[in-house]
Each structure stands twice: as structure tokens, then as C-alpha cells.
Coordinates of all heavy atoms in Angstrom, one line a residue:
M53 N 12.1 1.5 -16.0 CA 12.1 0.0 -15.6 C 12.3 -0.1 -14.1 O 13.1 0.7 -13.6 CB 13.2 -0.7 -16.3 CG 12.8 -1.2 -17.7 SD 14.0 -2.3 -18.4 CE 15.3 -1.2 -18.9
P54 N 11.5 -1.0 -13.5 CA 11.7 -1.1 -12.0 C 13.0 -1.8 -11.7 O 13.5 -2.6 -12.4 CB 10.5 -2.0 -11.6 CG 10.2 -2.7 -12.9 CD 10.6 -1.8 -14.0
N55 N 13.6 -1.4 -10.6 CA 14.8 -1.9 -10.1 C 14.6 -3.0 -9.1 O 13.9 -2.8 -8.1 CB 15.7 -0.7 -9.4 CG 17.1 -0.8 -9.7 OD1 17.5 -1.6 -10.6 ND2 17.9 -0.2 -9.0
Y56 N 15.1 -4.2 -9.4 CA 14.9 -5.3 -8.5 C 16.2 -5.6 -7.8 O 17.3 -5.4 -8.2 CB 14.4 -6.5 -9.2 CG 13.0 -6.3 -9.9 CD1 12.9 -6.3 -11.2 CD2 11.9 -6.2 -9.0 CE1 11.6 -6.1 -11.8 CE2 10.7 -6.0 -9.6 CZ 10.5 -6.0 -11.0 OH 9.3 -5.8 -11.5
E57 N 16.0 -6.3 -6.6 CA 17.2 -6.7 -5.9 C 17.3 -8.2 -5.9 O 16.2 -8.9 -5.7 CB 17.0 -6.2 -4.4 CG 18.2 -5.4 -3.9 CD 18.0 -4.9 -2.5 OE1 17.0 -4.2 -2.3 OE2 18.8 -5.3 -1.6
F58 N 18.4 -8.7 -6.2 CA 18.6 -10.2 -6.2 C 19.7 -10.6 -5.3 O 20.5 -9.8 -4.9 CB 19.0 -10.6 -7.7 CG 18.0 -10.2 -8.7 CD1 18.1 -8.9 -9.3 CD2 17.0 -11.0 -9.0 CE1 17.1 -8.6 -10.3 CE2 16.0 -10.7 -10.0 CZ 16.1 -9.5 -10.6
Q59 N 19.6 -11.9 -4.9 CA 20.7 -12.5 -4.1 C 21.1 -13.8 -4.7 O 20.3 -14.6 -5.1 CB 20.2 -12.7 -2.7 CG 21.4 -13.2 -1.8 CD 21.0 -13.4 -0.4 OE1 19.9 -13.7 -0.1 NE2 22.0 -13.2 0.5
C60 N 22.3 -14.0 -4.9 CA 22.9 -15.2 -5.4 C 22.7 -16.3 -4.4 O 22.9 -16.1 -3.2 CB 24.4 -15.1 -5.7 SG 25.1 -16.6 -6.3
Q61 N 22.2 -17.5 -4.8 CA 22.0 -18.5 -3.8 C 23.2 -19.4 -3.6 O 23.3 -20.2 -2.8 CB 20.8 -19.4 -4.3 CG 19.5 -18.7 -4.3 CD 18.3 -19.6 -4.6 OE1 18.2 -20.1 -5.7 NE2 17.4 -19.7 -3.7
T62 N 24.2 -19.1 -4.4 CA 25.5 -19.8 -4.3 C 26.5 -19.1 -3.4 O 27.0 -19.6 -2.4 CB 26.2 -20.1 -5.6 OG1 25.2 -20.7 -6.6 CG2 27.4 -21.0 -5.6
C63 N 26.8 -17.8 -3.8 CA 27.7 -17.1 -3.0 C 27.1 -15.9 -2.1 O 27.9 -15.1 -1.5 CB 28.8 -16.4 -3.9 SG 28.2 -15.1 -4.9
R64 N 25.8 -15.8 -2.1 CA 25.1 -14.8 -1.2 C 25.4 -13.4 -1.7 O 25.1 -12.5 -0.9 CB 25.4 -15.0 0.2 CG 25.2 -16.4 0.7 CD 23.6 -16.7 0.9 NE 23.4 -18.1 1.2 CZ 22.2 -18.6 1.0 NH1 21.2 -17.9 0.6 NH2 22.0 -19.8 1.3
K65 N 25.9 -13.2 -2.9 CA 26.1 -11.9 -3.4 C 24.7 -11.2 -3.7 O 23.9 -11.8 -4.3 CB 26.9 -11.9 -4.7 CG 26.9 -10.7 -5.5 CD 27.9 -9.6 -4.9 CE 27.8 -8.4 -5.8 NZ 28.6 -7.3 -5.2
Q66 N 24.6 -9.9 -3.2 CA 23.4 -9.2 -3.4 C 23.7 -8.1 -4.4 O 24.7 -7.4 -4.4 CB 22.9 -8.5 -2.1 CG 22.2 -9.6 -1.2 CD 21.5 -8.9 0.0 OE1 21.2 -7.8 0.0 NE2 21.4 -9.7 1.1
F67 N 22.8 -8.0 -5.4 CA 22.9 -7.0 -6.4 C 21.6 -6.4 -6.9 O 20.6 -7.2 -6.8 CB 23.8 -7.5 -7.6 CG 23.2 -8.7 -8.3 CD1 22.5 -8.5 -9.5 CD2 23.2 -9.9 -7.7 CE1 21.9 -9.5 -10.2 CE2 22.7 -11.0 -8.4 CZ 22.0 -10.8 -9.6
Q68 N 21.6 -5.3 -7.6 CA 20.4 -4.7 -8.1 C 20.4 -4.7 -9.6 O 21.5 -4.6 -10.2 CB 20.2 -3.3 -7.6 CG 19.7 -3.2 -6.2 CD 19.4 -1.8 -5.8 OE1 19.5 -0.8 -6.6 NE2 18.8 -1.6 -4.7
K69 N 19.3 -5.0 -10.2 CA 19.2 -5.0 -11.7 C 17.8 -4.5 -12.1 O 16.8 -4.9 -11.5 CB 19.5 -6.4 -12.2 CG 19.8 -6.4 -13.7 CD 20.3 -7.8 -14.1 CE 20.4 -8.0 -15.6 NZ 21.4 -7.1 -16.2
S70 N 17.8 -3.6 -13.1 CA 16.5 -3.2 -13.6 C 16.0 -4.0 -14.7 O 16.7 -4.3 -15.7 CB 16.6 -1.7 -14.0 OG 17.7 -1.6 -15.0
L71 N 14.8 -4.6 -14.5 CA 14.2 -5.4 -15.5 C 12.8 -4.9 -15.9 O 12.1 -4.2 -15.1 CB 14.0 -6.8 -14.9 CG 15.2 -7.6 -14.5 CD1 14.8 -8.9 -13.7 CD2 16.1 -7.9 -15.7
P72 N 12.4 -5.1 -17.1 CA 11.1 -4.7 -17.6 C 10.0 -5.4 -16.8 O 10.2 -6.5 -16.3 CB 11.1 -5.0 -19.1 CG 12.1 -6.0 -19.3 CD 13.2 -5.8 -18.2
F73 N 8.8 -4.8 -16.7 CA 7.7 -5.4 -16.0 C 7.3 -6.8 -16.6 O 7.4 -6.9 -17.8 CB 6.5 -4.5 -16.2 CG 6.5 -3.4 -15.1 CD1 6.7 -2.1 -15.5 CD2 6.3 -3.7 -13.8 CE1 6.7 -1.1 -14.5 CE2 6.3 -2.7 -12.8 CZ 6.5 -1.4 -13.2
G74 N 7.1 -7.7 -15.8 CA 6.6 -8.9 -16.2 C 7.7 -9.9 -16.5 O 7.5 -11.1 -16.9
T75 N 8.9 -9.5 -16.3 CA 10.1 -10.4 -16.6 C 10.1 -11.5 -15.5 O 10.1 -11.2 -14.3 CB 11.4 -9.7 -16.6 OG1 11.3 -8.6 -17.6 CG2 12.6 -10.5 -16.9
K76 N 10.1 -12.7 -15.9 CA 10.2 -13.8 -15.0 C 11.6 -14.4 -14.9 O 11.9 -15.2 -14.0 CB 9.1 -14.9 -15.3 CG 7.8 -14.5 -14.9 CD 6.8 -15.4 -15.4 CE 5.3 -14.9 -15.1 NZ 4.3 -15.7 -15.7
D77 N 12.4 -14.1 -15.9 CA 13.8 -14.7 -16.0 C 14.7 -14.0 -14.9 O 14.7 -12.8 -14.8 CB 14.4 -14.5 -17.4 CG 13.7 -15.3 -18.4 OD1 13.1 -16.4 -18.0 OD2 13.5 -14.9 -19.5
L78 N 15.3 -14.8 -14.1 CA 16.2 -14.2 -13.1 C 17.6 -14.1 -13.7 O 18.1 -15.0 -14.4 CB 16.2 -15.1 -11.9 CG 14.9 -15.2 -11.1 CD1 15.0 -16.3 -10.1 CD2 14.5 -13.9 -10.4
P79 N 18.2 -12.9 -13.5 CA 19.6 -12.8 -14.0 C 20.6 -13.7 -13.3 O 20.4 -13.8 -12.1 CB 19.9 -11.3 -13.8 CG 19.0 -10.9 -12.7 CD 17.8 -11.8 -12.8
P80 N 21.6 -14.1 -13.9 CA 22.6 -14.9 -13.2 C 23.4 -14.0 -12.3 O 23.6 -12.8 -12.5 CB 23.4 -15.5 -14.3 CG 23.3 -14.6 -15.5 CD 21.9 -14.0 -15.3
C81 N 24.1 -14.6 -11.3 CA 25.0 -13.9 -10.4 C 26.1 -13.3 -11.2 O 26.8 -14.0 -12.0 CB 25.5 -14.8 -9.4 SG 26.7 -14.1 -8.4
P82 N 26.4 -12.0 -11.0 CA 27.5 -11.3 -11.7 C 28.9 -11.8 -11.3 O 29.8 -11.5 -11.9 CB 27.3 -9.8 -11.4 CG 26.5 -9.8 -10.1 CD 25.6 -11.1 -10.1
V83 N 28.9 -12.5 -10.1 CA 30.2 -12.9 -9.6 C 30.5 -14.3 -10.0 O 31.5 -14.6 -10.7 CB 30.2 -12.8 -8.1 CG1 31.6 -13.3 -7.5 CG2 29.9 -11.4 -7.6
C84 N 29.5 -15.2 -9.8 CA 29.8 -16.7 -10.0 C 28.8 -17.3 -11.1 O 28.9 -18.5 -11.3 CB 29.8 -17.5 -8.8 SG 28.1 -17.6 -8.1
K85 N 28.0 -16.5 -11.7 CA 27.0 -16.9 -12.6 C 26.0 -17.9 -12.0 O 25.4 -18.7 -12.8 CB 27.7 -17.5 -13.9 CG 28.8 -16.6 -14.5 CD 28.2 -15.5 -15.1 CE 29.3 -14.6 -15.7 NZ 28.8 -13.3 -16.1
G86 N 25.9 -17.9 -10.7 CA 25.0 -18.9 -10.1 C 23.6 -18.5 -10.2 O 23.2 -17.4 -10.6
T87 N 22.7 -19.3 -9.6 CA 21.3 -19.1 -9.6 C 21.0 -18.0 -8.5 O 21.5 -18.1 -7.5 CB 20.5 -20.3 -9.3 OG1 21.0 -21.4 -10.1 CG2 19.0 -20.2 -9.4
T88 N 20.1 -17.1 -9.0 CA 19.7 -16.0 -8.0 C 18.3 -16.1 -7.7 O 17.5 -16.7 -8.4 CB 20.0 -14.7 -8.6 OG1 19.4 -14.5 -9.8 CG2 21.6 -14.5 -8.9
K89 N 17.9 -15.4 -6.6 CA 16.5 -15.2 -6.3 C 16.2 -13.8 -6.1 O 17.1 -13.0 -5.7 CB 16.1 -16.1 -5.1 CG 16.8 -15.5 -3.8 CD 16.3 -16.3 -2.6 CE 16.9 -15.7 -1.3 NZ 16.5 -16.4 -0.1
R90 N 15.0 -13.4 -6.3 CA 14.6 -12.0 -6.2 C 14.3 -11.7 -4.8 O 13.5 -12.4 -4.1 CB 13.4 -11.6 -7.2 CG 13.4 -10.2 -7.6 CD 12.4 -10.0 -8.6 NE 11.1 -9.6 -7.9 CZ 10.0 -9.5 -8.5 NH1 9.9 -9.7 -9.8 NH2 8.9 -9.1 -7.9
L91 N 14.8 -10.5 -4.3 CA 14.4 -10.1 -2.9 C 13.4 -9.0 -3.1 O 13.4 -8.2 -4.0 CB 15.7 -9.5 -2.3 CG 16.9 -10.4 -2.1 CD1 18.1 -9.6 -1.6 CD2 16.6 -11.6 -1.3
I92 N 12.5 -9.1 -2.2 CA 11.4 -8.1 -2.2 C 12.0 -6.9 -1.3 O 12.1 -7.0 -0.1 CB 10.1 -8.6 -1.5 CG1 9.5 -9.7 -2.5 CG2 9.1 -7.5 -1.4 CD1 9.0 -10.9 -1.8
S93 N 12.2 -5.8 -2.0 CA 12.9 -4.7 -1.4 C 11.9 -3.8 -0.6 O 12.3 -3.1 0.3 CB 13.7 -3.9 -2.4 OG 12.8 -3.6 -3.5
A94 N 10.7 -3.7 -1.0 CA 9.7 -2.8 -0.4 C 8.4 -3.6 0.1 O 7.4 -3.7 -0.6 CB 9.3 -1.8 -1.4
P95 N 8.5 -4.3 1.2 CA 7.4 -5.0 1.7 C 6.3 -4.1 2.1 O 6.5 -3.0 2.7 CB 8.0 -5.8 3.0 CG 9.1 -4.9 3.3 CD 9.7 -4.3 2.1
M96 N 5.1 -4.5 1.9 CA 3.9 -3.7 2.3 C 3.3 -4.2 3.6 O 2.1 -4.3 3.7 CB 2.9 -3.8 1.2 CG 3.4 -3.2 -0.2 SD 2.0 -2.9 -1.3 CE 2.9 -2.2 -2.7
V97 N 4.1 -4.4 4.5 CA 3.6 -5.0 5.8 C 2.7 -4.0 6.5 O 1.7 -4.3 7.1 CB 4.8 -5.4 6.7 CG1 4.4 -5.9 8.0 CG2 5.7 -6.5 6.0
H98 N 3.1 -2.7 6.4 CA 2.4 -1.7 7.2 C 0.9 -1.6 6.9 O 0.1 -0.9 7.6 CB 3.0 -0.3 7.0 CG 3.1 0.1 5.6 ND1 4.1 -0.3 4.7 CD2 2.4 0.9 4.8 CE1 4.0 0.2 3.5 NE2 2.9 0.9 3.5
F99 N 0.5 -2.2 5.7 CA -1.0 -2.0 5.4 C -1.9 -2.9 6.2 O -3.0 -2.6 6.5 CB -1.1 -2.4 3.9 CG -0.9 -1.2 3.0 CD1 0.1 -1.2 2.1 CD2 -1.7 -0.1 3.2 CE1 0.3 -0.1 1.2 CE2 -1.5 1.0 2.3 CZ -0.4 1.0 1.4
K100 N -1.4 -4.1 6.6 CA -2.2 -5.0 7.3 C -1.8 -5.0 8.8 O -2.5 -5.6 9.6 CB -2.1 -6.4 6.8 CG -0.7 -7.0 6.7 CD -0.8 -8.4 6.0 CE 0.6 -9.0 5.9 NZ 0.5 -10.3 5.3
G101 N -0.7 -4.5 9.1 CA -0.2 -4.5 10.5 C -0.8 -3.4 11.4 O -1.4 -2.4 10.8
T102 N -0.6 -3.5 12.6 CA -1.0 -2.3 13.5 C 0.0 -1.2 13.4 O 1.1 -1.4 13.0 CB -1.1 -2.8 15.0 OG1 0.1 -3.4 15.3 CG2 -2.3 -3.7 15.1
G103 N -0.4 0.0 13.8 CA 0.6 1.1 13.8 C 0.3 2.0 12.6 O 1.0 3.0 12.5
F104 N -0.7 1.6 11.8 CA -1.0 2.5 10.6 C -1.7 3.7 11.1 O -1.5 4.9 10.7 CB -1.8 1.7 9.7 CG -2.0 2.5 8.3 CD1 -0.9 2.5 7.5 CD2 -3.2 3.1 8.0 CE1 -1.1 3.2 6.2 CE2 -3.3 3.7 6.8 CZ -2.3 3.8 5.9
Y105 N -2.6 3.5 12.1 CA -3.3 4.7 12.6 C -2.7 5.1 14.0 O -3.1 4.8 15.1 CB -4.8 4.4 12.9 CG -5.5 4.1 11.7 CD1 -5.9 2.8 11.3 CD2 -5.9 5.1 10.8 CE1 -6.6 2.5 10.1 CE2 -6.6 4.9 9.7 CZ -6.9 3.6 9.3 OH -7.6 3.4 8.2
K106 N -1.5 5.6 13.8 CA -0.8 6.0 15.1 C -1.3 7.3 15.6 O -1.3 7.5 16.8 CB 0.7 6.1 14.7 CG 1.5 4.9 15.1 CD 2.9 5.1 14.8 CE 3.7 3.8 15.1 NZ 5.2 3.9 14.6
T107 N -1.8 8.2 14.8 CA -2.3 9.5 15.3 C -3.8 9.3 15.6 O -4.6 8.8 14.8 CB -2.1 10.5 14.2 OG1 -2.6 10.1 13.0 CG2 -0.6 10.8 14.0
D108 N -4.1 9.8 16.7 CA -5.6 9.7 17.2 C -6.3 11.0 16.9 O -7.5 11.2 17.1 CB -5.6 9.5 18.7 CG -5.0 8.2 19.1 OD1 -5.3 7.2 18.4 OD2 -4.3 8.1 20.1
S109 N -5.7 12.0 16.2 CA -6.3 13.2 15.9 C -7.4 13.1 14.9 O -8.4 13.8 15.0 CB -5.3 14.2 15.4 OG -4.5 13.7 14.4
K110 N -7.3 12.2 13.9 CA -8.3 12.1 12.8 C -9.1 10.7 13.1 O -8.5 9.7 12.8 CB -7.6 12.1 11.5 CG -7.1 13.5 11.2 CD -6.5 13.4 9.7 CE -5.7 14.7 9.4 NZ -5.0 14.6 8.2
P111 N -10.3 10.9 13.4 CA -11.1 9.6 13.6 C -11.6 9.1 12.2 O -12.3 9.7 11.5 CB -12.3 10.1 14.4 CG -12.4 11.5 14.2 CD -11.0 12.0 13.7
A112 N -11.2 7.8 11.9 CA -11.7 7.1 10.8 C -11.7 7.9 9.5 O -12.7 8.2 9.0 CB -13.0 6.5 11.1
P113 N -10.5 8.3 9.0 CA -10.5 9.1 7.8 C -10.9 8.3 6.5 O -11.4 8.9 5.6 CB -9.0 9.5 7.7 CG -8.2 8.5 8.5 CD -9.2 7.9 9.5
V114 N -10.6 7.1 6.5 CA -10.9 6.3 5.3 C -12.4 6.1 5.1 O -12.9 6.2 4.0 CB -10.2 4.9 5.4 CG1 -10.4 4.1 4.1 CG2 -8.7 5.1 5.6
V115 N -13.1 5.8 6.2 CA -14.5 5.5 6.1 C -15.3 6.7 5.6 O -16.3 6.6 4.8 CB -15.0 5.0 7.5 CG1 -16.5 4.6 7.4 CG2 -14.2 3.8 7.9
E116 N -15.0 7.9 6.1 CA -15.8 9.1 5.7 C -15.3 9.8 4.5 O -15.7 10.9 4.3 CB -15.7 10.0 7.0 CG -16.4 9.5 8.2 CD -16.8 10.5 9.1 OE1 -16.0 10.9 10.0 OE2 -18.0 11.1 9.0
K117 N -14.5 9.1 3.7 CA -14.0 9.7 2.5 C -15.0 10.2 1.5 O -15.0 11.3 0.9 CB -13.0 8.7 1.8 CG -11.8 9.4 1.2 CD -10.9 8.3 0.6 CE -9.6 9.0 0.2 NZ -8.6 8.0 -0.3
K118 N -16.1 9.4 1.4 CA -17.2 9.8 0.5 C -17.9 11.0 0.9 O -18.3 11.8 0.0 CB -18.2 8.6 0.4 CG -17.8 7.5 -0.6 CD -18.9 6.5 -0.7 CE -18.4 5.4 -1.5 NZ -19.4 4.2 -1.5
E119 N -18.1 11.2 2.2 CA -18.8 12.3 2.7 C -18.0 13.5 2.9 O -18.4 14.5 3.3 CB -19.6 12.0 3.9 CG -20.7 11.0 3.7 CD -21.3 10.5 5.0 OE1 -22.3 11.2 5.4 OE2 -20.9 9.6 5.6
A120 N -16.7 13.4 2.7 CA -15.7 14.4 3.0 C -15.9 15.7 2.1 O -15.6 16.8 2.4 CB -14.3 13.9 2.9
T121 N -16.5 15.4 0.9 CA -16.7 16.5 0.0 C -17.8 17.5 0.5 O -17.7 18.7 0.2 CB -17.2 16.0 -1.4 OG1 -18.2 15.1 -1.2 CG2 -16.0 15.3 -2.1
K122 N -18.7 17.0 1.3 CA -19.7 17.9 1.8 C -19.2 18.6 3.1 O -18.4 18.0 3.8 CB -21.0 17.2 2.1 CG -21.7 16.7 0.9 CD -22.9 15.8 1.3 CE -23.5 15.2 0.0 NZ -24.6 14.3 0.4
T123 N -19.7 19.7 3.4 CA -19.4 20.4 4.6 C -20.2 19.7 5.8 O -21.2 19.2 5.5 CB -19.7 21.9 4.6 OG1 -21.1 22.0 4.3 CG2 -18.9 22.6 3.5
P124 N -19.7 19.8 7.0 CA -20.4 19.3 8.1 C -21.8 19.8 8.3 O -22.7 19.2 8.7 CB -19.5 19.7 9.3 CG -18.2 19.9 8.7 CD -18.3 20.4 7.4
E125 N -22.0 21.1 7.9 CA -23.3 21.7 8.0 C -24.3 21.1 7.0 O -25.4 20.8 7.4 CB -23.2 23.2 7.7 CG -22.8 24.0 8.9 CD -22.6 25.5 8.6 OE1 -21.4 25.8 8.2 OE2 -23.5 26.2 8.8
A126 N -23.8 20.9 5.8 CA -24.7 20.2 4.8 C -25.0 18.9 5.2 O -26.0 18.3 4.8 CB -24.0 20.3 3.5
K127 N -24.1 18.2 5.9 CA -24.3 16.8 6.2 C -25.3 16.7 7.4 O -26.1 15.8 7.5 CB -23.0 16.2 6.8 CG -22.6 15.0 6.0 CD -21.2 14.6 6.3 CE -21.1 13.9 7.7 NZ -19.6 13.6 7.9
A128 N -25.4 17.8 8.2 CA -26.3 17.7 9.3 C -27.8 18.0 9.0 O -28.6 17.5 9.6 CB -25.9 18.8 10.4
E129 N -27.9 18.7 7.9 CA -29.3 19.1 7.5 C -30.2 17.9 7.2 O -31.3 17.8 7.7 CB -29.3 20.1 6.4 CG -29.6 21.5 7.0 CD -29.7 22.5 5.9 OE1 -28.7 22.9 5.3 OE2 -30.8 23.0 5.7
P130 N -29.8 17.1 6.2 CA -30.6 16.0 5.9 C -30.9 15.0 7.1 O -32.0 14.4 7.1 CB -29.8 15.2 4.8 CG -28.4 15.8 4.8 CD -28.6 17.2 5.4
K131 N -30.0 15.0 7.9 CA -30.2 14.1 9.1 C -31.3 14.7 10.0 O -32.1 13.9 10.5 CB -28.9 14.1 10.0 CG -28.7 12.8 10.8 CD -27.4 12.8 11.5 CE -27.2 11.5 12.2 NZ -26.0 11.5 13.0
K132 N -31.4 16.0 10.1 CA -32.4 16.7 10.8 C -33.8 16.4 10.2 O -34.8 16.1 10.9 CB -32.2 18.2 10.8 CG -32.3 18.9 12.1 CD -32.0 20.3 12.0 CE -31.9 21.0 13.3 NZ -31.6 22.5 13.1
N133 N -33.8 16.5 8.9 CA -35.1 16.2 8.2 C -35.6 14.8 8.4 O -36.7 14.5 8.5 CB -34.9 16.4 6.7 CG -34.7 17.9 6.4 OD1 -35.1 18.8 7.2 ND2 -34.1 18.3 5.3
Q134 N -34.6 13.9 8.5 CA -35.0 12.5 8.7 C -35.6 12.4 10.1 O -36.6 11.6 10.3 CB -33.7 11.7 8.6 CG -33.5 11.1 7.2 CD -32.4 10.1 7.1 OE1 -31.6 10.0 8.1 NE2 -32.2 9.5 6.0
E135 N -35.1 13.0 11.0 CA -35.6 12.9 12.4 C -37.1 13.5 12.4 O -37.9 12.9 13.1 CB -34.7 13.7 13.4 CG -33.5 12.9 13.8 CD -32.6 13.7 14.7 OE1 -33.0 14.6 15.4 OE2 -31.4 13.5 14.6
L136 N -37.2 14.6 11.8 CA -38.5 15.2 11.7 C -39.6 14.2 11.1 O -40.7 14.1 11.5 CB -38.5 16.5 11.0 CG -38.0 17.7 11.8 CD1 -37.8 18.9 10.8 CD2 -39.0 18.1 12.9
R137 N -39.1 13.7 10.0 CA -40.0 12.7 9.2 C -40.4 11.6 10.2 O -41.6 11.2 10.2 CB -39.3 12.2 8.0 CG -39.9 12.8 6.7 CD -39.7 12.0 5.5 NE -38.4 12.3 4.9 CZ -37.8 11.5 4.0 NH1 -38.3 10.4 3.7 NH2 -36.6 11.8 3.5
S138 N -39.4 11.1 10.8 CA -39.7 9.9 11.7 C -40.7 10.3 12.8 O -41.5 9.4 13.3 CB -38.5 9.3 12.2 OG -37.8 10.3 13.1
K139 N -40.7 11.5 13.2 CA -41.5 12.0 14.3 C -43.0 12.0 13.8 O -43.9 11.6 14.4 CB -41.2 13.3 14.8 CG -40.3 13.2 16.0 CD -39.9 14.6 16.6 CE -38.8 14.5 17.6 NZ -38.4 15.9 18.0
N140 N -43.1 12.5 12.5 CA -44.4 12.7 11.9 C -44.9 11.2 11.5 O -45.9 10.8 11.6 CB -44.4 13.6 10.6 CG -44.1 14.9 11.1 OD1 -44.3 15.3 12.3 ND2 -43.6 15.7 10.2
Ligands
LIG199 ZN1 27.2 -15.8 -6.9

């Protein structure tokens, strides 16, 4: 079961509780039984923000993923043939 983080809206107490997937019911505050809200403990900000490609050593690794299975030599050959064909 995933572990969620909650914060009491009454006394600001923060606590963790594991709930099954899809649970929409929020557990009451363990201190004052007040209303709680779920905190997002693992934000995925880094996916859309800058700084993901911090290393310049690998140029565009995601785009070339499909062709990565072939060797650079095998990749160059069909390109050569295409050039020859266009000349003829
Ligand atoms: Zn509370």
C-alpha cells in the first residue's frame, strides 16, 4: 500500500498513513480528529522544468531511442543508398 502524507487543517499536525490505491477518504487527524488534507510528497516537477538535461555529453537521448538498437554503421548504410538513389 502506498504511504501518503497528511496534514491536519486544524492543528497543522503532519502524519503519514498507508492507504490502498483509489482511496478517497481522508483519515482524521490522530491528535484532534480534525479534517486533514493529503500532501503530495513526491512532486514530479523535474519532468517539465529545466535542468533535466544537465549533462551535455549525451545529445538528445530520448529522440534517438528507437534507432539506438542499431549500430551507427548500420544506420549509415541506408543513408548512403538513399543519397545514391537521389543522384540517379
Ligand atoms: Zn489535528
